[in-house]
Amino acid sequence: MSSTQMITVTVNGQDRCCHVEPRTHLVDFVRNDLGLKGSHLGCEHGVCGACTVEVDGRIVRGCLTLAVQTEGCRVRTIEGLSDDGDVRDLQESFVRNNALQCGFCTPGMVMAAKELLETRPNATRAEVREWMSGNFCRCTGYHAIVDAVCETLAERAKKRAA
Amino acid sequence: MKAPAFDYVKPRSLAEVFDLMARYGDDARILAGGQTLMATLNMRLSDPKILIDITRLQDLSRIEVRPGVLHIGALVTHTAIESSALVAEHAPLLAAAAPHIAHRAIRNSGTWGGSIAYGDPAAEWPCCLVALDGTVVVQGHGGQRRVKATDFFQDLYTTDLKPGEIVVGSEIPVMTRNHWCAFDELARRHGDYAVAGLAVVAEFDGTTARKVNLGLLGMGVIPLRAPRTEALLAGKVLDAGTIEIAAASLKAELDPLPDLTHGADTKRHLATVLMRRLLSAAHASRAALAI
Amino acid sequence: MNTVTTPNLLNADASIAGTEVEERPKIDHTDKPLPPVTEDPRYIGSSSERPSARKLVQGQGTYIDDLELPRMVHVVYWRSPLAHAKITRIGLDAARKAPGVVLVAAGSDVAKYCKPWVATLAHLAGMKSAPQYPLAMDRVYWQGEPVVAVVAETRQQAEDALPLIEVEFDELPPVVDMETALDPSTPLIHADLGDNLCFTRSLNVGDVDAAFAQADAVVGTTFQFGRHTGVTLEPRCQIADWSSADQKLTVWHSFQAPHMMQDLYSRQFDIPESNIRVVCKEVGGSFGIKVHAYPDDFATVALSMMCRRPVKFVADRLESFTSDIHARHHRVTARIGVKKSGEIVGFEMDDLTGIGPFSMFPRTSAIEGNQVVNLVGGPYKHQNYRAHLKVVFQNKTPTCQYRGVGHPIACAVTEGLVDMAARAIGMDPLEIRRKNVIPDDAYPATGASGIKLEVLSHEACLRKIELLMDYPKLKAEIADLRKQGIYRGIGFAALIELTNPSAAFYGVGGARIASQDGCTIRFDPSGAISVSVSVGEQGQGNDGIYRQIAADAVGVDLEKVRLVLSDTDVTPYGGGTWASRGAGVGGEAVLLAGQALRANIIKVAAIILKRDASELAVRRGAVVDAKTLEAVLEFPELGRIAYFRSDTLPADFTPELMVTRHYAQRDYPFIFTNGVQASYVEVDPDTGFVKLLKHWAVEDCGRVINPKLVDEQIRGAIVQGIGGALFEECLYDENGRLMNGSMADYLVPMSGEMPDIEVAHVQTPTRSSQLGAKGAGEAGTAGAPAAVMNAINDALAPLKAEVWSQPITPEKVLRALGKVS
């Protein structure tokens, strides 16, 4: 019963072919099988958001998703996002606002914020707070994170208007 | 924790699904979005031999208008419902409730069918479905059955699903010009399971409420209706006096289970507060139309 | 057909994406700048970027669970499901045969390697506790106590083996009610101790009875504070690596005080201290949870010795809830006496706190209650104070220091009473505080409880917060909205916070916890500097401020500073992070080392240039003429000569371009800080739900080294305090079992419910150091619960309701309003 299955999945733009146990969480797969340690484990209940990764362009909880479910999918982690530069402006804004302290929640926060930037380009501050409330941070108290996301929204809005 | 070991299969057809279910019985679990199942497995509260992933069955992921009903397939995600123009037009109650469901990452994966099949009395979809007098469509080897939502949820996490059956979708009567609906819930934090929640679906004739459906979540072992209170409201204008009578009736009709931080009395009270607010809003809205 | 979405209590949104239009009074967020501590000050006082920020935002940090060592195995602990029981049988054979299992061990196995400990401190007179072992021996004392260790090749395999462990118990009645813990009929947890009392203390200063007799009003109540816990997002974790060949232990630990653990491993395992290395990498949040020595820490080390392989322990979230330390369960009955003039004449309080079955090692579980006694009434000038404390054992998760340690309780009690007093005499809450705080020109002062206060600025902070929040405008707004049936309130909390501790905190009690710290700075040949400090980084930004201080002290660009932290093999010996000492103590050591290195650089330059040292100075990576500031010798050139061309230097001269300096704060037992917070809330009287509209904090932590980092620490600390005030509680049933030990049921603050938080500063430097920096990490947590509770009670005042029990849930509000029974 602990036999493995072969999956073919594109991770951060690279096609991977791996043997995994069906029970392996997607987040454990990227961390342990692929060495992508940027996605973190905080609860394994699906509540804290530290494991948030992207599958086929949408954020999911890496602890509530099985690696075998991502057969044929495109998975992106914080490493891929950072290398591609998709959210360089957001990441710069995080640094500028010190919207991270211990950094453990940060990759999940960036992932969640990215989907907001893409799907809610006109979000208000209150809407940003609500959207980000799926990611737990114990260090920052959230104010600086909300500032960073709002700053990025405003900058992107300005660019669109120009 | 890590989930216990299990096998995994992703069938191509419903027939294959039913075969597997017949073969494994209780040792199998259906995997769609997995947002509830995986959390359960990660806490090692369950130890299935095999997960049957049904997400290859793309027929089950459609939202369609059929004569008089909006059909929502079991595999439609919460996010898809949240952003669907068809839902916004024909079942706006669901569009109103969707943002309350957990958080975006969960909504991207979690499914309509998964929520209905699990039947959590604190969840939004079962509550909305009973308020809408919807129908659950289930299917097994023997074919499809249609079960009224109000008959489908029977006990805590117990539905009318028979062994070997899965939820394939549901049908919701489309809203008309004379319908008014609203959803509200009180949760300690956005996205949490609510302490109390109410879905109101009412059919009006001018400012007279011909029929008022009250769907309650967090009040019992199943998503509830409040038939005695609904009967008091039927045929009335929802003015302050009527609402007070309804509030007293609802208090008497409900027998909520306490949770860790809210006693039964508190839950009852919160249910009446929600009802007062939504019915007042309904009345104000219909009165404004009448001007 | 119409729909209605969730009604909003507050409209605060603007129409422009991401922006918010808000009118604010013009205010200087930081006081006028202090005189510099260095020549050519560039970085101290500025919001320079933290060195680790860039890598963390790209997911390139290294946390303990990211490390994989050769032959590493994983341990999972089988923990007691019962709160109190005798162990009658342990069956490990089935588990030993499970796939991948390397080792299964129980209490007696581990006890062969590791001594038991008793967590008491000599200066807490009469304190007692019982010996504790890494794994339970013949009894279990709390639900969550580790009993059996399963070590396997993978984490999954270890977890798979857990159900195969057989443990049989004879249940014993658990002690779960602290109110009755000392009743004669309550079972004894430790028969040898004679009762369930860990520590008691009484304080009687002045004459409270006489003062109260003369008061115009004596008001009080019973305050309740719910037990809660830290919930660091990265759970506790470590890798213990015992090298059997050379008998050396390396522990990779997510931790705040590596030297402390080095000392403890040495003594508990009888290994020479210098054979032990403790290394911390990135720490994903600690807040005090990771400054204590847990039984499973010792067990993991023992397991590595037993199987002679590195053993990794990562606490699962579920086990974190029953195994991380808890804190803050207090019932405080207290009173305040006040005259019509507004003068507070005295405080009286009785504090009962329920800890676990053992005092926690090595900092003890009596410190929190002891601090409540020391701190009630803290900001005020009354001379009459009576306090009584009882710390009692229970069969629940052990408790110990967690961010703020007693301050949140003391501040909530004090500030709640002050508001009650204000209402009793019809005085404005800000006014009564102005009248009673120790004046800014009255220092040094001694508080009624005996605490020594170097210099505080309560009056200045009160003035500042009034402007910052535009208090008159808010009061008018509240009055207006009340007419419309909307209930908003303002709550203040004046606070003091102990920081920069001396050895009076732990050292005097016999604990080998360093209150001194050191810094070594090495001048590298390229002209950069490597800075090694004995205080580490857990997210607060110590790495940032040490870089800034070193850069200014030595005289180099920020980018030329490299930091080495958190490795007992490499750094100076010191105490690490606790009691808000990173900036004030660690920072001072950095400053002293930097100044010493600068002097040595000039000495070398003087020799090379054949000039007098008094004619030279350092500016931005070069030695310069002290008068003209023209560069006369660039650092890389000095480095080249000093390191590679000693043949060109005089025979009697050796460059010493690596210096170490230590610092301990010895002027006062603690350097206190002060601040004031304000919370603005709206209470829905129908639902009992509370909406946090805004929060303000004016904090005086002395010299602010990096305003952005300090402000963010204060914000995070405030939200952590709000957690205890409104959401967080460890709920136990009558059998001593935790009922809400998961992230779904234990409610931590998330962004949706938190307010924007505005922070400003007053800067009153401490004279106990050159840097003048005081601590800032815990003040937010100290004051937030008091401010929020006072705001809620202010909102409820017209409805004649009040709530004094935290966390303040909707049900408690509804009960206070008489809307539910």
Side-chain angles (χ1 to χ4, degrees):
Chain A
M1 205 171 23
S2 47
S3 55
T4 60
Q5 289 191 10
M6 200 184 75
I7 57 168
T8 307
V9 53
T10 308
V11 181
N12 295 333
Q14 196 185 359
D15 290 337
R16 308 296 302 244
C17 201
C18 303
H19 288 269
V20 294
E21 276 186 74
R23 63 158 154 183
T24 303
H25 300 149
L26 176 59
V27 65
D28 287 330
F29 171 64
V30 300
R31 284 177 58 81
N32 301 331
D33 292 60
L34 304 182
L36 295 162
K37 304 291 189 183
S39 309
H40 300 137
L41 281 162
C43 73
E44 295 179 309
H45 320 340
V47 175
C48 76
C51 66
T52 305
V53 292
E54 207 181 83
V55 176
D56 284 347
R58 288 200 192 277
I59 51 171
V60 298
R61 297 292 199 228
C63 70
L64 297 184
T65 308
L66 299 172
V68 289
Q69 286 177 283
T70 62
E71 161 70 36
C73 296
R74 282 171 299 113
V75 174
R76 294 178 80 200
T77 68
I78 186 70
E79 291 89 346
L81 247 62
S82 301
D83 286 346
D84 292 344
D86 284 17
V87 283
R88 181 160 299 138
D89 54 348
L90 176 70
Q91 287 169 306
E92 291 287 341
S93 189
F94 262 63
V95 172
R96 247 193 328 272
N97 285 281
N98 203 58
L100 63 145
Q101 293 184 24
C102 80
F104 204 74
C105 76
T106 309
M109 289 285 179
V110 170
M111 282 284 167
K114 172 175 180 283
E115 188 155 323
L116 173 101
L117 292 170
E118 287 165 355
T119 61
R120 302 276 190 279
N122 297 311
T124 63
R125 190 176 178 86
E127 285 166 348
V128 169
R129 271 198 182 273
E130 188 176 295
W131 183 280
M132 299 304 291
S133 64
N135 288 72
F136 175 47
C137 174
R138 198 49 145 170
C139 295
T140 67
Y142 305 107
H143 184 132
I145 294 174
V146 175
D147 280 349
V149 178
C150 288
E151 199 176 275
T152 312
L153 281 166
E155 274 168 23
R156 289 192 179 189
K158 243 196 279 180
K159 279 209 187 88
R160 281 197 305 273
Chain B
M1 305 181 83
K2 309 304 172 192
F6 45 76
D7 277 335
Y8 167 91
V9 64
K10 194 170 181 181
R12 276 166 234 280
S13 69
L14 273 173
E16 226 182 298
V17 172
F18 300 137
D19 278 343
L20 287 160
M21 290 176 79
R23 186 151 107 219
Y24 287 98
D26 251 353
D27 286 333
R29 294 282 182 284
I30 301 294
L31 175 64
Q35 302 303 279
T36 301
L37 176 64
M38 286 315 305
T40 309
L41 293 179
N42 291 355
M43 295 198 191
R44 296 201 177 222
L45 295 172
S46 180
D47 198 357
K49 278 210 179 70
I50 186 165
L51 299 196
I52 305 169
D53 185 339
I54 60 171
T55 58
R56 192 170 263 157
L57 309 171
Q58 284 308 299
D59 275 352
L60 302 185
S61 60
R62 285 201 266 270
I63 303 177
E64 288 173 335
V65 181
R66 297 175 186 166
V69 294
L70 180 70
H71 171 90
I72 301 180
L75 293 181
V76 177
T77 66
H78 307 321
T79 294
I81 292 173
E82 192 178 355
S83 47
S84 160
L86 288 177
V87 168
E89 187 182 343
H90 299 291
L93 180 70
L94 304 185
H100 292 276
I101 301 174
H103 302 282
R104 180 71 170 198
I106 307 281
R107 294 202 291 276
N108 282 344
S109 297
T111 62
W112 172 260
S115 175
I116 300 300
Y118 190 55
D120 193 325
E124 286 79 3
W125 290 156
C127 167
C128 287
L129 197 60
V130 300
L132 288 164
D133 271 325
T135 304
V136 183
V137 184
V138 306
Q139 190 168 342
H141 259 313
Q144 271 192 6
R145 292 191 301 127
R146 276 169 169 67
V147 184
K148 280 171 43 181
T150 44
D151 292 333
F152 184 74
F153 305 104
Q154 295 172 346
D155 205 335
L156 188 62
Y157 310 129
T158 310
T159 68
D160 192 54
L161 273 174
K162 307 279 181 277
E165 285 183 331
I166 64 168
V167 173
V168 291
S170 57
E171 285 158 354
I172 293 164
V174 298
M175 297 276 101
T176 70
R177 257 184 317 113
N178 293 322
H179 280 94
W180 185 94
C181 63
F183 180 86
D184 196 7
E185 67 174 46
L186 295 164
R188 298 298 310 283
R189 305 172 305 178
H190 175 78
D192 281 352
Y193 280 117
V195 183
L198 177 65
V200 174
V201 179
E203 204 189 325
F204 280 90
D205 186 1
T207 51
T208 302
R210 260 202 254 142
K211 187 176 191 297
V212 179
N213 287 3
L214 303 170
L216 293 139
L217 64 85
M219 288 295 142
V221 295
I222 59 172
L224 293 175
R225 289 275 294 273
R228 291 212 294 270
T229 308
E230 291 175 8
L232 283 176
L233 291 167
K236 305 276 197 316
V237 172
L238 303 180
D239 56 22
T242 308
I243 291 176
E244 275 318 298
I245 294 170
S249 166
L250 189 65
K251 254 210 172 116
E253 191 171 3
L254 288 177
D255 190 17
L257 293 170
D259 63 31
L260 286 173
T261 36
H262 308 90
D265 210 29
T266 299
K267 287 209 166 207
R268 241 183 241 112
H269 170 83
L270 294 176
T272 59
V273 171
L274 287 174
M275 191 187 68
R276 276 200 192 87
R277 288 184 179 173
L278 293 190
L279 293 185
S280 306
H283 181 66
S285 155
R286 296 304 299 188
L289 280 182
I291 295 169
Chain C
M1 146 207 54
N2 325 93
T3 64
V4 161
T5 51
T6 313
N8 263 328
L9 288 177
L10 174 70
N11 301 310
D13 307 340
S15 51
I16 306 165
T19 62
E20 185 170 65
V21 178
E22 197 190 273
E23 269 183 52
R24 294 183 204 191
K26 297 258 176 295
I27 188 165
D28 206 5
H29 274 235
T30 308
D31 239 7
K32 55 186 183 303
L34 297 175
V37 273
T38 60
E39 299 170 31
D40 188 30
R42 286 190 288 165
Y43 303 113
I44 294 176
S46 83
S47 293
S48 312
E49 184 183 303
R50 274 174 63 206
S52 42
R54 257 166 220 288
K55 80 173 168 183
L56 294 178
V57 83
Q58 296 184 56
Q60 289 180 19
T62 302
Y63 302 84
I64 298 299
D65 192 28
D66 301 341
L67 297 175
E68 282 163 35
L69 300 181
R71 305 187 66 231
M72 190 177 77
V73 286
H74 300 257
V75 62
V76 168
Y77 288 99
W78 192 97
R79 295 178 182 273
S80 171
L82 301 172
H84 198 195
K86 274 205 203 92
I87 300 173
T88 53
R89 188 183 85 86
I90 297 187
L92 305 177
D93 290 338
R96 288 193 168 116
K97 296 200 192 85
V101 170
V102 161
L103 170 67
V104 182
S108 49
D109 302 314
V110 173
K112 294 196 186 92
Y113 292 81
C114 178
K115 290 201 265 276
W117 57 85
V118 180
T120 53
L121 284 170
H123 66 308
L124 293 178
M127 180 182 181
K128 56 190 197 285
S129 184
Q132 187 180 6
Y133 291 79
L135 297 181
M137 297 296 277
D138 55 350
R139 273 195 185 203
V140 291
Y141 291 92
W142 85 88
Q143 182 214 22
E145 181 173 2
V147 182
V148 175
V150 180
V151 181
E153 300 285 349
T154 70
R155 175 67 187 249
Q156 283 86 341
Q157 286 169 327
E159 288 184 5
D160 288 346
L162 281 180
L164 302 173
I165 308 266
E166 294 156 15
V167 182
E168 281 165 32
F169 296 104
D170 269 345
E171 280 192 62
L172 295 167
V175 177
V176 293
D177 180 4
M178 64 180 185
E179 299 287 348
T180 57
L182 300 179
D183 287 1
S185 56
T186 299
L188 290 184
I189 297 176
H190 305 286
D192 288 348
L193 295 184
D195 57 30
N196 290 326
L197 181 69
C198 171
F199 177 66
T200 182
R201 181 182 165 205
S202 287
L203 196 60
N204 200 348
V205 177
D207 189 339
V208 168
D209 293 325
F212 278 8
Q214 284 165 30
D216 293 308
V218 177
V219 289
T221 188
T222 297
F223 297 86
Q224 305 270 8
F225 300 91
R227 181 183 254 256
H228 52 285
T229 184
V231 197
T232 59
L233 185 56
E234 180 208 28
R236 292 186 301 113
C237 48
Q238 58 164 179
I239 304 174
D241 186 6
W242 173 250
S243 167
S244 54
D246 49 8
Q247 299 281 294
K248 288 205 164 120
L249 175 68
T250 305
V251 181
W252 308 81
H253 204 167
S254 179
F255 204 67
Q256 298 170 221
H259 291 96
M260 184 192 86
M261 290 312 293
Q262 180 193 32
D263 172 78
L264 291 179
Y265 291 139
S266 169
R267 288 183 301 121
Q268 297 304 120
F269 288 91
D270 258 322
I271 310 169
E273 188 180 53
S274 49
N275 282 7
I276 300 170
R277 176 185 180 208
V278 181
V279 187
C280 312
K281 309 293 289 181
E282 251 82 54
V283 175
S286 48
F287 319 113
I289 305 302
K290 296 177 182 174
V291 82
H292 307 292
Y294 289 83
D296 37 49
D297 292 339
F298 295 110
T300 305
V301 168
L303 295 167
S304 181
M305 292 173 170
M306 280 189 249
C307 65
R308 294 186 302 284
R309 296 169 71 168
V311 177
K312 178 188 269 190
F313 167 59
V314 177
D316 169 77
R317 179 57 57 190
L318 297 174
E319 84 182 300
S320 294
F321 277 109
T322 55
S323 66
D324 285 358
I325 53 109
H326 292 180
R328 312 223 222 280
H329 187 195
H330 290 252
R331 184 269 290 143
V332 183
T333 304
R335 294 192 303 164
I336 186 174
V338 66
K339 293 207 168 123
K340 268 202 296 269
S341 63
E343 181 197 341
I344 294 170
V345 299
F347 286 86
E348 171 185 63
M349 75 99 183
D350 186 294
D351 180 11
L352 173 66
T353 178
I355 61 173
F358 301 97
S359 167
M360 189 70 185
F361 195 46
R363 296 173 190 251
T364 86
S365 306
I367 292 282
E368 183 180 285
N370 193 52
Q371 285 195 183
V372 176
V373 172
N374 288 335
L375 299 167
V376 166
Y380 304 110
K381 52 190 178 184
H382 58 286
Q383 292 300 306
N384 305 295
Y385 176 51
R386 185 163 57 208
H388 183 67
L389 168 72
K390 283 204 286 290
V391 180
V392 299
F393 293 115
Q394 295 181 282
N395 294 109
K396 294 179 184 173
T397 300
T399 65
C400 212
Q401 278 66 301
Y402 164 44
R403 194 177 200 173
V405 193
H407 289 69
I409 287 101
C411 183
V413 168
T414 303
E415 295 302 283
L417 289 175
V418 169
D419 266 19
M420 289 178 82
R423 276 195 281 275
I425 61 173
M427 183 171 280
D428 177 272
L430 204 52
E431 176 70 11
I432 196 176
R433 286 169 170 87
R434 270 197 287 262
K435 283 197 146 80
N436 285 283
V437 290
I438 299 172
D440 291 355
D441 61 1
Y443 295 96
T446 301
S449 67
I451 51 176
K452 302 262 183 285
L453 307 168
E454 180 204 2
V455 60
L456 302 179
S457 61
H458 289 294
E459 292 176 312
C461 288
L462 289 171
R463 279 196 299 272
K464 196 152 197 173
I465 205 166
E466 186 173 9
L467 289 174
L468 189 65
M469 63 194 285
D470 200 346
Y471 183 48
K473 174 162 165 257
L474 283 179
K475 275 206 290 188
E477 189 174 291
I478 289 175
D480 260 340
L481 289 169
R482 275 196 192 146
K483 299 190 194 115
Q484 301 169 42
I486 294 172
Y487 293 90
R488 292 189 179 177
I490 293 171
F492 291 103
L495 63 106
I496 58 171
E497 171 72 43
L498 69 80
T499 75
N500 298 4
S502 70
F505 203 162
Y506 290 118
V508 303
R512 292 166 69 90
I513 291 166
S515 59
Q516 61 81 49
D517 276 276
C519 172
T520 301
I521 307 186
R522 184 185 71 198
F523 180 95
D524 291 337
S526 64
I529 56 173
S530 288
V531 179
S532 173
V533 192
S534 54
V535 182
E537 168 66 28
Q538 298 87 35
Q540 69 276 69
N542 284 339
D543 59 354
I545 62 172
Y546 295 158
R547 205 169 63 142
Q548 290 169 246
I549 296 168
D552 269 358
V554 176
V556 294
D557 291 347
L558 206 59
E559 297 67 41
K560 294 258 193 273
V561 182
R562 193 176 84 95
L563 281 172
V564 177
L565 304 173
S566 301
D567 184 341
T568 59
D569 259 9
V570 174
T571 69
Y573 195 93
T577 299
W578 52 278
S580 299
R581 58 197 297 283
V585 177
E588 182 73 3
V590 177
L591 179 69
L592 295 173
Q595 291 170 334
L597 180 63
R598 178 192 278 248
N600 283 11
I601 288 168
I602 289 175
K603 251 195 234 162
V604 174
I607 295 283
I608 293 171
L609 299 169
K610 298 190 174 48
R611 288 178 67 170
D612 203 272
S614 62
E615 297 170 15
L616 302 171
V618 171
R619 284 291 182 277
R620 308 194 184 189
V623 178
V624 303
D625 181 286
K627 276 213 201 64
T628 68
L629 297 187
E630 252 182 80
V632 291
L633 183 62
E634 299 285 340
F635 272 11
E637 178 62 6
L638 186 151
R640 184 188 71 81
I641 297 169
Y643 286 120
F644 305 124
R645 295 308 308 272
S646 31
D647 59 302
T648 65
L649 299 172
D652 62 347
F653 176 78
T654 302
E656 294 294 358
L657 293 174
M658 181 162 177
V659 299
T660 300
R661 289 292 181 273
H662 287 82
Y663 173 72
Q665 190 283 108
R666 282 181 284 192
D667 292 12
Y668 286 85
F670 312 100
I671 301 299
F672 273 90
T673 63
N674 67 281
V676 61
Q677 292 182 29
S679 165
Y680 186 37
V681 308
E682 187 171 311
V683 181
D684 183 336
D686 291 327
T687 63
F689 277 68
V690 173
K691 184 156 171 88
L692 302 171
L693 301 176
K694 192 81 184 274
H695 203 101
W696 299 264
V698 176
E699 182 62 23
D700 186 346
C701 53
R703 180 185 300 271
V704 172
I705 299 165
N706 185 320
K708 186 149 248 7
L709 296 185
V710 168
D711 286 1
E712 289 310 310
Q713 273 285 283
I714 290 171
R715 283 179 170 156
I718 284 170
V719 167
Q720 214 160 0
I722 290 173
L726 294 181
F727 293 103
E728 300 182 46
E729 187 170 9
C730 300
L731 295 165
Y732 278 85
D733 69 13
E734 69 275 10
N735 295 311
R737 279 194 293 255
L738 184 63
M739 297 190 287
N740 63 335
S742 83
M743 295 296 282
D745 298 316
Y746 181 93
L747 307 181
V748 291
M750 306 295 273
S751 65
E753 290 69 41
M754 290 303 106
D756 281 350
I757 300 167
E758 211 172 317
V759 183
H761 292 275
V762 171
Q763 291 187 99
T764 312
T766 171
R767 279 190 285 256
S768 60
S769 70
Q770 281 185 57
L771 196 54
K774 306 177 187 174
E778 295 170 274
T781 309
V788 170
M789 181 180 69
N790 280 349
I792 292 170
N793 284 328
D794 184 48
L796 293 175
L799 301 168
K800 305 273 187 289
E802 46 188 35
V803 185
W804 303 111
S805 167
Q806 296 183 17
I808 299 176
T809 61
E811 181 166 273
K812 289 182 188 175
V813 174
L814 290 174
R815 278 220 188 98
L817 289 167
K819 302 218 165 157
V820 302
S821 54

